[in-house]
Amino acid sequence: MATSWTAEPERWVTIDHAALAHNVETIARWVKPAQVMAVVKADGYGHGAVEVAKTAVAAGATWIGTAHIREALELREAGITAPLLAWLHTIRTPFRAAIEHNIDIGVSGPEIEMVAEAARAADLPARIHLKIDTGLSRNGAAPEQWDELCKRASELQQTGIVRVVGVFTHFATADDPDGEAAVDEQLAAYHQAVDTARKHGLTVDVRHVANSPALLSRPDTHLDMVRAGVAIYGLSPFAERTPEDLGLRQVMSFGTTVANNKPADEGTGVSYGYAYRCQTPTRLALVPCGYADGVPRIAEGAPVWIDGNYYRVAGRIAMDQFVVDLNTDRDDELTAPVGAPVELFGPKSGLTSDAWALAAGTINYELVTRIGARVPRIHKPWI
Ligand SMILES: *Cc1c(COP(=O)(O)O)cnc(C)c1O
């Protein structure tokens, strides 16, 4: 039973499902007739995998993707019935549970015999998508292993153990305007790999290669389906283009309230190590979020919105809190008082997680996936 102390969160991440639906619809319209797989690995990039998957499907995604089979199983347990694909496995991956729950399995090579064995044990065919490494050098079969993998998959398909549904690959440089030639090379290698699969008698119904940067910048990569991750969350995969430029709306916002506000003298040292000192007599506001909540410790100087005004993080970010120099009169009790709304990013401030990512020397993907477990996600329903 919910108790009163859980009712009003003290810090929160808001998930705007109207924005999420808008992004999925926008992408679906764009890539049509290709289908959209909504990628919800890592708890939906920190947004909540189950909630994101439900809205994405309602808004037009026809597939859901995760990295791990365990992530896909959690979605099945939560009642998600859409086709699901998971592609990163180990010797401990529960392949049999995947087959029994109708989860498609990405196969890069080493796992094909494990998958076949699990299919025999379950007495059900495994639905697989063969993955070719066309140049990212992560998982996927190397080009010289591809013919052998197709041959083995074809044998297993003929005995009814597996059913090859698709062939896929993943790009290394689609986010980089200077990476076009490398994308061309990967795409050419991919098409060759599909030809090889077909020569082995595989039908390859679902050809899929595009991640967000590719689907946004290269229509020739849409094929039968795109795998849309960061873009459905309304984040730009490009350094030089904002979500707005792409017609997308940021889904996550991160807020809290001012926890303390007090006068400080000129020269006052702020937070551990006195990395910041007040240049004038001023007031300091305390924001009760720190690196345990996903505010990167390295992001000194990042922008913060408090009740209509913009400030910067002063000094070190600690585990639970950081300080903002309000640059105001020492006696000013009206600016950013205790309880005033704070936004690190979101629609009130217009700040994006990119600003925090930039201050932290990382990318928006990492920022949103690392929001701490003690920050509740508030889901704002769509419609
Ligand atoms: C994470 C991932 C995606 C989604 O990438 P975005 O850049 O977030 O769109 C697509 N495909 C694979 C194989 C992935 O691992």
Side-chain angles (χ1 to χ4, degrees):
M1 201 177 84
T3 51
S4 59
W5 61 268
T6 62
E8 295 273 342
E10 296 171 85
R11 49 196 72 68
W12 56 86
V13 152
T14 305
I15 307 301
D16 179 349
H17 284 257
L20 176 63
H22 164 85
N23 298 335
V24 172
E25 285 168 348
T26 301
I27 292 163
R29 208 176 312 121
W30 203 330
V31 304
K32 212 172 161 187
Q35 300 186 70
V36 177
M37 169 185 284
V39 179
V40 303
K41 62 193 180 188
D43 198 23
Y45 290 43
H47 295 64
V50 171
E51 293 87 347
V52 168
K54 285 182 178 162
T55 296
V57 167
T62 50
W63 283 75
I64 299 293
T66 61
H68 305 171
I69 278 175
R70 285 164 203 267
E71 295 178 303
L73 286 165
E74 284 178 15
L75 295 172
R76 280 282 182 263
E77 272 176 17
I80 307 288
T81 56
L84 271 168
L85 172 67
W87 50 74
L88 183 63
H89 319 298
T90 69
I91 55 168
R92 296 183 181 162
T93 295
F95 291 114
R96 182 172 172 176
I99 295 161
E100 287 169 347
H101 288 88
N102 200 24
I103 292 163
D104 289 24
I105 302 169
V107 168
S108 295
E111 60 279 86
I112 193 159
E113 299 306 333
M114 292 185 264
V115 170
E117 198 182 321
R120 281 186 212 104
D123 200 19
L124 287 167
R127 288 169 50 92
I128 66 174
H129 299 229
L130 298 176
K131 187 168 191 188
I132 171 86
D133 174 11
T134 55
L136 182 60
S137 305
R138 298 195 324 198
N139 66 2
E144 65 261 40
Q145 300 172 320
W146 184 248
D147 192 66
E148 188 59 35
L149 181 61
C150 291
K151 184 163 159 263
R152 184 66 183 133
S154 177
E155 282 167 15
L156 290 167
Q157 178 157 293
Q158 276 160 32
T159 60
I161 299 288
V162 308
R163 156 108 174 80
V164 176
V165 177
V167 169
F168 71 121
T169 194
H170 197 43
F171 291 121
T173 64
D175 60 323
D176 178 358
D178 298 328
E180 288 256 341
V183 172
D184 290 340
E185 279 179 31
Q186 284 197 260
L187 193 55
Y190 172 80
H191 285 304
Q192 226 182 343
V194 171
D195 288 344
T196 302
R198 287 182 172 149
K199 280 195 196 110
H200 283 279
L202 302 170
T203 44
V204 193
D205 293 334
V206 192
R207 295 164 306 151
H208 51 105
V209 299
N211 55 0
S212 296
L215 80 88
L216 292 165
S217 66
R218 293 281 303 244
D220 58 336
T221 65
H222 293 172
L223 308 183
D224 301 312
M225 178 168 78
V226 301
R227 300 187 306 269
V230 85
I232 70 169
Y233 304 101
L235 303 177
S236 171
F238 306 111
E240 308 293 327
R241 292 162 80 188
T242 64
E244 221 166 35
D245 295 341
L246 302 168
L248 303 173
R249 285 161 52 192
Q250 179 172 251
V251 172
M252 180 189 284
S253 54
F254 189 170
T256 184
T257 59
V258 171
N260 198 358
N261 176 317
K262 63 189 170 192
D265 296 325
E266 181 183 339
T268 299
V270 173
S271 194
Y272 294 128
Y274 291 159
Y276 181 88
R277 281 184 190 277
C278 301
Q279 298 299 298
T280 57
T282 186
R283 290 188 79 89
L284 299 174
L286 185 67
V287 177
C289 297
Y291 58 78
D293 304 298
V295 182
R297 182 174 179 272
I298 199 171
E300 278 171 44
V304 190
W305 176 96
I306 306 178
D307 205 10
N309 295 304
Y310 296 85
Y311 304 95
R312 290 194 174 275
V313 174
R316 300 260 159 88
I317 292 166
M319 188 182 294
D320 313 304
Q321 49 196 301
F322 65 83
V323 176
V324 165
D325 183 346
L326 298 173
N327 287 309
T328 187
D329 197 275
R330 207 182 175 290
D331 306 318
D332 173 8
E333 296 190 351
L334 295 177
T335 301
V338 171
V342 178
E343 205 173 77
L344 282 72
F345 51 86
K348 288 197 196 105
S349 60
L351 295 172
T352 64
S353 50
D354 297 84
W356 277 88
L358 189 68
T362 184
I363 53 175
N364 47 17
Y365 292 69
E366 185 177 2
L367 216 288
V368 295
T369 52
R370 298 188 73 174
I371 302 295
R374 71 180 178 180
V375 182
R377 273 64 167 174
I378 312 284
H379 289 275
K380 265 173 53 187
W382 170 38
I383 337 175

